[in-house]
Amino acid sequence: MLPGAMSEAVAKKSPEQDGEGSSRRSSWGLLVTAGVGGTLVALYAVVTPFVTPALRKVCLPFVPATATQVQNVLKMLENRSGPLVDIGSGDGRIVIAAAKKGFKAVGYELNPWLVWYSRYRAWRDGVHQNTKFYISDLWKVSFSHYTNVVVFGVPQMMPQLEKKLEEELECNARIIACRFPFPCWIPDHTTGEGIDTVWAYDLKHYRRCETKNLEITPERES
Ligand SMILES: C[S@@+](CC[C@H](N)C(=O)[O-])C[C@H]1O[C@@H](n2cnc3c(N)ncnc32)[C@H](O)[C@@H]1O
Ligand SMILES: *[C@@H]1O[C@H](CO)[C@@H](O)[C@H](O)[C@H]1NC(C)=O
C-alpha cells in the first residue's frame, strides 16, 4: 500500500517537470528512483520482522484495530460472559478493552515485541490480573476453552480459520470478526460500516450442534 502511495506521489510530480530539459529531467528521475529505492529498502528492514513470521501460512500483518472497531467489538460482547481470546492480538488493544469490561481476556500473538508491549500496556492500565498474552502461532494452539473469540484477520486466512474454530469451539461460543467476515457462516449480528464493520457469529448454528438436538428428539419421544 505504502509503495503504491509513493509512486502515485511521484507520478503527480512529473507533469510539473515537463517544461524543463530532458537531461535535467532524467537526473531528477534518477534521484527520485534512488530516493524511492532507498526508502523502500529502509521500509522493508523495519516491516520485515513484523511480516515474515506470519508468512508461514498466510501473511497477516500488524494492522491495529481502529477506535471504532474496538467499540464495535465491545458492542458485540454485550450479554456475553466467559473467557475471551483475541487471535493475533497485536498491541493488545482489544484484549485490554475487553478486560476493562470485566472479561478474562487472552491474546495470542506471533511477534514477541508486540506481546511484551501488550503486557506493559495491560500493567499500565491496571488490568494485567485479567489479561494474558502468549507468544504463539495461532495455527498451533487450540482455542477450545474460549467462549468469546475475536479475530481481525486477512481474507486469505478466513476459510481455514472458520474450519479450525468450527472443530475446536464449544456450541456456546461467539466469534467476532473485524473488517473481514468469514466465508460460510451467516452472522447473527453486524455493526459498523466499511472498514469498521464487525460481525458476530454464534456457533450453535454450526458444528453439528443442531444435528445433535435432532438426534436426541426421537429418543425422547419413544
Ligand atoms: C491485523 S493485526 C490485528 C491486531 C489486533 N487484533 C487488533 O485488532 O488491533 C493481526 C496480528 O496477528 C499477528 N499474527 C500474524 N500471524 C500470526 C500467527 N500465525 N499467529 C499469531 N499471530 C499472528 C500479527 O503479528 C498482527 O499483530
Ligand atoms: C443483547 O440482548 C438483547 C436482549 O436479549 C438483544 O436484543 C440484543 O440483540 C443482544 N445483543 C447482542 C449484540 O447480542
Side-chain angles (χ1 to χ4, degrees), residues 74-80 174 188-190 200 202:
L74 293 178
K75 225 185 274 174
M76 294 308 193
L77 289 169
E78 279 169 13
N79 317 340
R80 297 290 303 174
R174 171 173 285 184
D188 295 271
H189 302 272
T190 306
D202 290 323

Side-chain angles (χ1 to χ4, degrees), residues 50 60-70 73 86 88-94 109 114 117-118 121 151-153 178-180 195-196:
F50 285 81
L60 171 55
F62 172 50
V63 180
T66 64
T68 317
Q69 268 169 342
V70 175
V73 168
D86 184 14
S89 50
D91 64 3
R93 58 184 66 199
I94 288 175
E109 168 59 54
L114 290 173
Y117 179 61
S118 303
R121 274 179 65 154
V151 64
F152 174 1
C178 300
R179 190 165 315 183
F180 302 110
I195 63 159
D196 292 323

Side-chain angles (χ1 to χ4, degrees), residues 49-51 53-66 69-70 73 86-95 108-111 114 134-141 143 150-154 157 178 180:
F50 285 81
V51 173
L55 287 176
R56 288 167 192 188
K57 267 202 177 144
V58 286
C59 175
L60 171 55
F62 172 50
V63 180
T66 64
Q69 268 169 342
V70 175
V73 168
D86 184 14
I87 300 178
S89 50
D91 64 3
R93 58 184 66 199
I94 288 175
V95 172
Y108 288 85
E109 168 59 54
L110 207 51
N111 186 321
L114 290 173
Y134 297 109
I135 306 170
S136 312
D137 184 342
L138 70 92
W139 301 111
K140 292 186 180 151
V141 292
F143 301 110
V150 182
V151 64
F152 174 1
V154 287
M157 72 184 278
C178 300
F180 302 110

Side-chain angles (χ1 to χ4, degrees), residues 6-7 16-17 23 35 45 54 56 66 72-73 81-82 96-97 103 108 119 152 162 166 168 176-177 187 194 205 213:
M6 264 179 212
S7 47
E16 294 168 18
Q17 308 293 325
S23 67
R56 288 167 192 188
T66 64
N72 288 342
V73 168
S81 61
I96 291 166
F103 287 90
Y108 288 85
R119 288 172 182 161
F152 174 1
E162 189 176 62
E166 205 167 309
E168 286 176 3
I176 298 167
H205 308 304
N213 289 339

Side-chain angles (χ1 to χ4, degrees), residues 198-209:
V198 168
W199 297 263
Y201 308 85
D202 290 323
L203 201 64
K204 62 176 181 239
H205 308 304
Y206 305 98
R207 208 197 144 246
R208 277 178 281 125
C209 299

